[in-house]
């Protein structure tokens, strides 16, 4: 069975084998060397001065960032479940909140963010996704982050990049806190989160000293000495080092970004070429989301039953009207090619469109052409 869900992603054999080695203790030079390598590799690809690794799923890092970096009022972009989650975190801690709400296929823009900031000068932190995974939507984060900093450099820009880290070369020039998770492009099992920090974010974390388990000041102090405040997610850190070794073996992270982009664009083209509709107005590279109110659920079911393929459906209001195909991670092109072939065959079985091999041809021409 091929797992093609936008998180968790499959764990490659090289990573599984590395994580299967006997567990080592976390307060040892062996683990500390490993931890240092993991953090250094992340700093390098994210181009930010600090990176923290936490034993939690991505939402734990989202919570830590909201609590640490918002002292007055939060502006949050809600174009799906994950944007909504930032708002729920603020409410849980009685942090004043303004939300910009959009349909799940519609990105926000710098202009409406600036309008909100001008209207409410007490906003001191802005939260949003790069890719909102509920609909596979890409927000124009580069323009937005630059606009926020142009307006007021003290406003903290918190970015959930859980489905962007390892997918694309993120411009972090104007980002203060960049959140990642182990189970997406890093191809690890779930339960380790990542927060990369700008100099402003490091300063605020140290000044504010918020919370206990997710106290970023405590973590900074420990992680700068290559250890963690609490028991580290040891196997996941070892797995992350193995991921970076695998990336090096395959020619470096830039090559992974290029291949991810080519797979994503070839998949989009192939599926549009057989009459399917891409859901978001601005699709991210992390996943392809197909909108088909009548057939999405039946297509997914058939793919699982007859074609050995697990895709993800939608959440909440989009539960049965979309399906999502993962592009994150190190995915062999022939597996991605199988996905569009199987979908075309499923459309034939469901008597929606006769099979003629178009998806295969369009994918190959786009990928290799
Ligand atoms: C997967 C994902 C998360 C993380 O959610 P957890 O279940 O807590 O790991 C957060 N944001 C986005 C955009 C995601 O895709």
């Amino acid at each position: 069975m091929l797992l093609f869900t936008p998180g968790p992603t499959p764990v490659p054999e090289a990573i599984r084998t590395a994580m299967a080695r006997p567990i080592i203790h976390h307060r040892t030079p062996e683990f500390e060397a490993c931890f240092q390598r993991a953090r250094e590799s992340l700093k390098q690809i994210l181009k930010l001065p600090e990176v923290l690794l936490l034993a939690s799923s991505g939402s734990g890092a989202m919570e830590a960032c909201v609590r640490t970096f918002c002292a007055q009022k939060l502006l949050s972009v809600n174009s799906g479940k994950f944007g909504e989650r930032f708002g729920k975190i603020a409410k849980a801690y009685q942090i004043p909140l303004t939300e910009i709400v959009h349909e799940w296929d519609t990105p926000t823009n710098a202009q409406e963010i600036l309008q909100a900031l001008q209207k409410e000068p007490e906003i001191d932190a802005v939260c949003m996704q790069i890719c909102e995974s509920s609909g596979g939507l890409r927000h124009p984060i580069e323009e937005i982050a630059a606009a926020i900093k142009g307006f007021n450099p003290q406003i903290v820009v918190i970015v959930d990049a859980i489905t962007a880290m390892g997918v694309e070369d993120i411009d972090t020039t104007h980002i203060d806190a960049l959140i990642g998770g182990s189970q997406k492009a890093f191809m690890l099992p779930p339960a380790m989160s990542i927060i990369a920090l700008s100099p402003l974010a490091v300063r605020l974390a140290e000044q504010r000293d918020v919370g206990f388990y997710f106290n970023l000041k405590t973590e900074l102090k420990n992680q700068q000495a290559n250890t963690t405040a609490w028991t580290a997610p040891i196997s996941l850190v070892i797995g992350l080092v193995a991921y970076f070794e695998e990336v090096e073996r395959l020619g470096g992270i830039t090559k992974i970004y290029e291949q991810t982009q080519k797979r994503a664009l070839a998949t989009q083209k192939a599926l549009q070429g057989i009459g399917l509709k891409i859901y978001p107005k601005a699709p991210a590279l992390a996943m392809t989301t197909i909108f088909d109110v009548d057939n999405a659920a039946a297509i997914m079911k058939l793919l699982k039953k007859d074609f050995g393929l697990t895709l993800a459906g939608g959440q909440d209001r989009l539960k049965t009207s979309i399906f999502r195909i993962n592009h994150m991670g190190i995915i062999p092109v022939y597996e991605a090619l199988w996905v569009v072939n199987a979908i075309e065959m499923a459309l034939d079985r469901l008597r929606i469109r006769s099979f003629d091999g178009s998806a295969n041809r369009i994918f190959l021409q786009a990928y290799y052409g």
Side-chain angles (χ1 to χ4, degrees):
M1 184 68 78
L2 288 179
L3 181 64
F4 259 84
T5 57
T9 55
V11 182
E13 185 169 5
I15 296 179
R16 288 199 309 272
T17 322
M19 292 195 308
R21 290 198 292 258
I23 193 90
I24 56 173
H25 195 271
H26 54 295
R27 310 288 182 204
T28 58
E30 293 82 354
F31 180 72
E32 285 167 15
C34 186
F35 193 66
Q36 181 173 22
R37 280 182 69 189
R39 286 208 323 131
E40 287 307 321
S41 300
L42 285 169
K43 283 184 204 172
Q44 230 173 47
I45 68 161
L46 303 174
K47 291 159 283 181
L48 283 166
E50 270 305 339
V51 170
L52 299 175
L53 297 175
L54 305 174
S56 77
S57 83
S59 303
M62 293 168 76
E63 177 170 328
C65 286
V66 169
R67 292 194 68 201
T68 306
F69 299 122
C70 181
Q72 295 173 40
K73 184 164 198 174
L74 186 71
L75 174 64
S76 169
V77 175
N78 174 350
S79 295
K81 293 291 286 178
F82 296 102
E84 179 186 57
R85 189 167 301 173
F86 275 128
K88 285 185 171 174
I89 293 166
K91 284 178 197 152
Y93 288 104
Q94 282 107 43
I95 295 167
L97 168 73
T98 291
E99 269 191 320
I100 292 177
V101 182
H102 281 294
E103 257 316 305
W104 292 10
D105 64 349
T106 307
T108 184
N109 57 66
Q111 198 189 350
E112 66 178 0
I113 301 270
L114 281 181
Q115 275 167 4
L117 296 180
Q118 278 155 357
K119 209 167 119 207
E120 299 184 85
E122 64 276 28
I123 292 170
D124 62 342
V126 180
C127 278
M128 57 186 299
Q129 278 56 42
I130 293 186
C131 164
E132 168 54 80
S133 313
S134 302
L137 174 71
R138 174 70 158 75
H139 289 296
I141 187 68
E142 297 81 0
E143 289 105 88
I144 292 170
I148 295 169
K149 291 297 183 181
F151 176 77
N152 177 357
Q154 297 312 308
I155 294 177
V156 186
V157 178
I158 303 168
V159 174
D160 169 358
I162 294 181
T163 42
M165 264 189 206
V167 171
E168 54 174 299
D169 190 11
I170 304 166
D171 178 0
T172 53
T173 317
H174 303 292
I175 294 173
D176 293 301
L178 189 75
I179 300 165
S182 54
Q183 79 274 32
K184 308 283 168 89
F186 298 118
M187 308 195 88
L188 298 168
M192 182 166 71
S193 63
I194 297 159
I195 311 176
L197 303 170
S198 72
L200 171 65
V202 170
R203 203 163 69 240
L204 291 176
E206 285 172 346
Q207 276 168 14
R208 288 179 181 168
D209 193 6
V210 177
F212 182 74
Y213 183 77
F214 288 124
N215 186 311
L216 301 186
K217 181 185 181 183
T218 314
E219 287 299 345
L220 272 166
K221 182 167 153 278
N222 281 278
Q223 300 200 15
Q224 282 164 348
N226 299 319
T227 188
T228 49
W230 327 116
T231 305
I234 301 167
S235 306
L236 292 167
V237 174
I238 290 170
L240 185 56
V241 171
Y243 163 80
F244 280 112
E245 282 170 359
E246 194 62 4
V247 168
E248 276 318 302
R249 196 180 65 78
L250 295 170
I253 193 75
T254 306
K255 201 149 181 197
I256 303 295
Y257 294 151
E258 284 166 10
Q259 288 168 351
T260 304
Q261 181 180 37
K262 281 205 296 182
R263 278 198 313 279
L265 298 181
T267 301
Q268 284 174 22
K269 243 182 152 170
L271 296 182
Q272 281 175 309
I274 57 169
L276 292 171
K277 184 179 178 302
I278 306 287
Y279 173 67
K281 289 175 188 150
L285 296 172
M287 65 199 73
T288 294
T289 304
I290 296 297
F291 183 74
D292 187 338
V293 183
D294 300 321
N295 305 305
I299 293 169
M300 269 185 50
K301 202 170 151 196
L302 195 57
L303 289 173
K304 184 158 187 188
K305 188 167 79 69
D306 290 350
F307 297 94
L309 197 53
T310 304
L311 305 184
Q315 297 156 295
D316 285 6
R317 68 182 96 154
L318 290 181
K319 194 164 175 49
T320 56
S321 46
I322 61 167
F323 61 84
R324 294 172 297 158
I325 304 160
N326 175 55
H327 304 304
M328 291 179 281
I330 303 164
I331 312 276
V333 62
Y334 48 82
E335 289 186 2
L337 186 58
W338 173 245
V339 176
V340 300
N341 272 300
I343 291 172
E344 185 176 352
M345 190 55 93
L347 295 183
D348 184 275
R349 295 255 180 110
L350 293 166
R351 299 182 190 284
I352 296 165
R353 179 188 173 280
S354 307
F355 183 89
D356 61 7
S358 291
N360 187 66
R361 177 177 50 77
I362 298 169
F363 184 102
L364 285 172
Q365 281 170 344
Y367 194 91
Y368 291 105

